[in-house]
């Protein structure tokens, strides 16, 4: 029984990009999620120091966000997988709805946070280049219009959630989406390219209720090379 494979098949939406690779090695530039020798997910380390994104994203937020919040999703995901395994073993599916919700919630949380850390860099900011820039201009009118649209959509996510620049593979377009919580309102089949965490824990210590200020600061640390690499990979999928 390969539970990781089962899980990847079970989450077709936001999980897309991370689900494509089956290697267990977690490379800084890779899509794979780290797992231990038993196949359980582990918390990936940050690709930079906790204070590397100062002054835009503060060290205390990064420590809490990565070490506590992200770890919680990893543990919750492993627990959901284990409980679904138990359900199959005992042929008792009374709680399958509950654990399916946990699987989607913690699974999307784990995947989105993994992308989020890689989507940022101390050398980030500025503008995207190459084919990604062309795709953004073609779909949003200009880089400035895209940034305004991205900040507007991300700052108005109802409750907790994410702003997402995603690749829509059939029309080969890029699109800005809102995700409520981690798993709601996603489009099946999209591949996230750039994600921004707009749960309060991501910004409240430094920006309080000023979510938009946090989002503008986020643009100063966007790792466009990482976003471009995801876009290039997505272009080759179909
Ligand atoms: Mn978060």
């Amino acid at each position: 029984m390969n539970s990781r494979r089962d899980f990847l098949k079970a989450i077709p939406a936001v999980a897309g990009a991370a689900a494509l690779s089956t290697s267990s090695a977690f490379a800084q530039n890779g899509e794979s999620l780290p797992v231990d020798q038993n196949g359980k997910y582990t918390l990936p380390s940050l690709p930079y120091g906790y204070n590397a994104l100062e002054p835009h994203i503060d060290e205390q937020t990064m420590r809490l966000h990565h070490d506590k919040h992200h770890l919680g999703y990893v543990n919750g995901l492993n627990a959901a997988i284990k409980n679904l395994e138990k359900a199959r073993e005992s042929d008792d599916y009374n709680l399958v709805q509950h654990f399916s919700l946990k699987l989607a919630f913690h699974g999307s949380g784990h995947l989105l946070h993994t992308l989020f850390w890689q989507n940022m860099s101390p050398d980030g900011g500025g503008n995207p280049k190459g084919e990604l820039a062309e795709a953004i201009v073609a779909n949003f009118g200009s880089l400035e219009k895209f940034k305004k649209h991205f900040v507007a959509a991300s700052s108005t996510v109802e409750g907790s959630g994410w702003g997402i620049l995603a690749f829509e593979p059939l029309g080969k377009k890029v699109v800005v989406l809102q995700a409520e919580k981690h798993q709601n309102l996603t489009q099946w089949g999209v591949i996230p390219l750039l994600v921004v965490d707009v749960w309060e824990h991501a910004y409240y210590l430094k920006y309080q209720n000023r979510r938009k200020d946090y989002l503008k600061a986020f643009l100063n640390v966007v790792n466009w090379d990482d976003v471009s690499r995801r876009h290039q990979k997505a272009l080759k999928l179909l």
Side-chain angles (χ1 to χ4, degrees):
M1 178 60 63
N2 187 330
S3 54
R4 179 165 179 256
R5 286 292 222 156
D6 287 352
F7 155 69
L8 292 175
K9 275 187 224 155
I11 301 188
V14 161
L20 292 166
S21 174
T22 55
S23 163
S24 61
F26 182 69
Q28 182 132 331
N29 64 345
E31 254 71 44
S32 306
L33 296 174
V35 292
D36 66 16
Q37 65 272 28
N38 299 318
K40 283 175 80 173
Y41 289 100
T42 58
L43 181 67
S45 52
L46 285 178
Y48 35 71
Y50 289 101
N51 63 355
L53 303 179
E54 292 268 11
H56 307 291
I57 313 285
D58 60 290
E59 176 177 354
Q60 193 185 4
T61 296
M62 289 299 286
R63 284 190 184 280
L64 287 167
H65 201 174
H66 178 267
D67 295 1
K68 305 291 182 196
H69 290 271
H70 190 171
L71 181 63
Y73 299 123
V74 172
N75 291 339
L77 174 57
N78 285 326
I81 290 168
K82 192 166 186 143
N83 281 308
L84 286 164
E85 273 173 4
K86 275 190 201 157
R88 289 192 296 272
E89 276 162 21
S90 61
D91 199 30
D92 176 358
Y93 291 97
N94 274 325
L95 292 175
V96 71
Q97 184 193 13
H98 172 75
F99 291 124
S100 297
L101 286 170
K102 296 283 180 196
L103 183 72
F105 179 80
H106 292 292
S108 285
H110 178 32
L111 293 159
L112 283 169
H113 282 92
T114 301
L115 293 186
F116 183 51
W117 310 135
Q118 294 179 15
N119 269 173
M120 296 186 286
S121 161
D123 305 315
N127 284 315
K129 300 186 191 80
E131 275 191 86
L132 174 63
E134 286 168 26
I136 285 174
V137 170
N139 284 276
F140 298 96
S142 71
L143 296 175
E144 279 314 303
K145 283 196 175 110
F146 156 70
K147 286 181 184 177
K148 279 191 181 169
H149 182 158
F150 185 77
V151 167
S154 302
S155 67
T156 54
V157 172
E158 200 168 284
S160 301
W162 297 77
I164 296 178
L165 169 67
F167 181 71
E168 188 278 285
L170 297 179
K172 293 195 165 36
K173 293 179 184 302
V174 287
V175 62
V176 167
L177 295 172
Q178 299 176 324
E180 290 178 3
K181 302 201 318 191
H182 302 302
Q183 73 278 36
N184 299 353
L185 299 185
T186 57
Q187 285 183 341
W188 285 48
V190 303
I191 296 169
L193 302 176
L194 170 67
V195 302
V196 61
D197 193 338
V198 290
W199 285 59
E200 286 185 345
H201 64 234
Y203 64 88
Y204 210 83
L205 284 175
K206 187 175 173 75
Y207 294 101
Q208 292 85 49
N209 60 327
R210 292 172 286 115
R211 192 190 263 187
K212 206 170 225 178
D213 290 347
Y214 156 70
L215 287 161
K216 288 177 185 163
F218 169 78
L219 289 176
N220 291 321
V221 293
V222 168
N223 182 351
W224 286 111
D225 289 342
D226 176 64
V227 183
S228 284
R229 189 181 53 72
R230 291 183 193 288
H231 181 243
Q232 284 295 310
K233 239 178 157 169
L235 280 171
K236 295 183 182 88
L237 287 177
L238 291 173

